[in-house]
Amino acid sequence: MGPSNEHSSGHRNNFDLLRLFAACQVMFSHAWNWLHLGDSLNGTTAFNLLFSTPGVAIFFVISGFLVTDSYIRSSSAASFFVKRSLRIFPALFVNIAVMELALFVTGGLNVTGILQYLSYFTVYILTAARIWAVYFTYEPYTMSGFYGVSDPSGVLWTLTVELTFYLTLPTLLEIWRRWKRAGALVVAVAALGSWVMAQHFNITDRYNPFLSVTVGPTFWIFSMGVLARLYWHRVSRIFEGKLLWWLAIHLTITWWVAGTSAAFISINNAAPVDAFRIAILAGLVLSAAYSFPRPNLLRGQDLSYGIYLYHMLVMHTLIGIGWVGHWWLWIVEPVGTVALAALSWALIEKPAMKLRKSLVARRLSVA
């Protein structure tokens, strides 16, 4: 499989800004709930706006679009997997190591045997799924230490979903490469099956570790980005420069739903109304990516992954200290998280990205 130039989606976009927004939305929504910073504001306009744009759904739509683009542009499936691995695993390894060390020194980790623990740690790193590591090895957490929880993160399940998405996507795209219409139909049917599956296997209801934290129940969200990228040459005019229109539609629906029920969008239960709202949100995300592009605004500094990885560790540390419900935590929580994210970017992620670019350049020079 050689490099493909078909139907380029272009490089002038706001995806980096949107990922940063999504990471901050997740951080602030968790602070709202876990640190009890918004108890008095539940049901207000601020609540409705914050929870009407779920960061996880935004990440999945963006990933569907950009990872599809990455695979189309990759010289081979092996090259694709190397690029994805270098983006995900280095920072994930350090993040899990930091959390495990924090648990160990505060009495929340029970290492009964080094080999047994290493097997647990290995499964945890490779899958990002603590529930899988426990299932295949043992439960090392005591829940009696400083953190008092079995998992001071709680957000890594989405990375397990991402990893299973990376494993699933190449097969779908190879079908699409050979038979365009049949491939698009397969993606659409897989999306419908995913939505049906989401009614039965999700993170909050009827918990099943082998289905709820895989791409199965969430592929329907990824598929919106996948199909948009595959047919961007046809649908781009619906999104490019149309941000205000999509924003108006999104706000109107949020206002209507807030007046009839909760404004929170559940990506887990995938009720018809939530599926419709996420479809509108996907349109808003793609339109925001290609309206008024500011590709150099962040100057190449991508803190979104680090913010996503570390915000819950900072939050649980604050809870362990006993700092809950204070207004100034709105400052302490993001400052602490961004500091760790900046270290992660400078020391781990950026070097890994440079290595990825050098490997790609080397393969192209050899070819």
Side-chain angles (χ1 to χ4, degrees), residues 4 6 23-24 44-45 52 74 76 86 98 102 108 126 134 139 178 202 218 260 300-301 310 318 325:
S4 173
E6 54 185 325
C24 289
T44 63
T45 300
S52 70
S74 295
S76 66
L86 286 174
V98 168
L126 293 178
V134 170
E139 172 60 87
R178 289 164 173 76
N202 56 70
T218 53
T260 57
Q301 308 301 307
Y310 285 100
L318 295 173

Side-chain angles (χ1 to χ4, degrees), residues 106-181:
T106 57
L109 190 64
N110 180 28
V111 181
T112 57
I114 188 62
L115 292 180
Q116 186 181 36
Y117 176 75
L118 285 177
S119 63
Y120 161 86
F121 187 78
T122 301
V123 176
Y124 194 4
I125 291 293
L126 293 178
T127 65
R130 198 190 78 84
I131 187 67
W132 290 3
V134 170
Y135 183 87
F136 287 111
T137 59
Y138 82 116
E139 172 60 87
Y141 296 169
T142 66
M143 295 187 67
S144 60
F146 171 81
Y147 289 98
V149 293
S150 60
D151 187 356
S153 176
V155 297
L156 296 188
W157 68 271
T158 60
L159 293 185
T160 310
V161 170
E162 280 280 338
L163 292 172
T164 55
F165 172 61
Y166 298 162
L167 294 174
T168 303
L169 186 66
T171 299
L172 298 177
L173 293 186
E174 284 305 309
I175 296 174
W176 176 81
R177 277 185 185 278
R178 289 164 173 76
W179 308 283
K180 292 291 191 294
R181 292 183 179 178

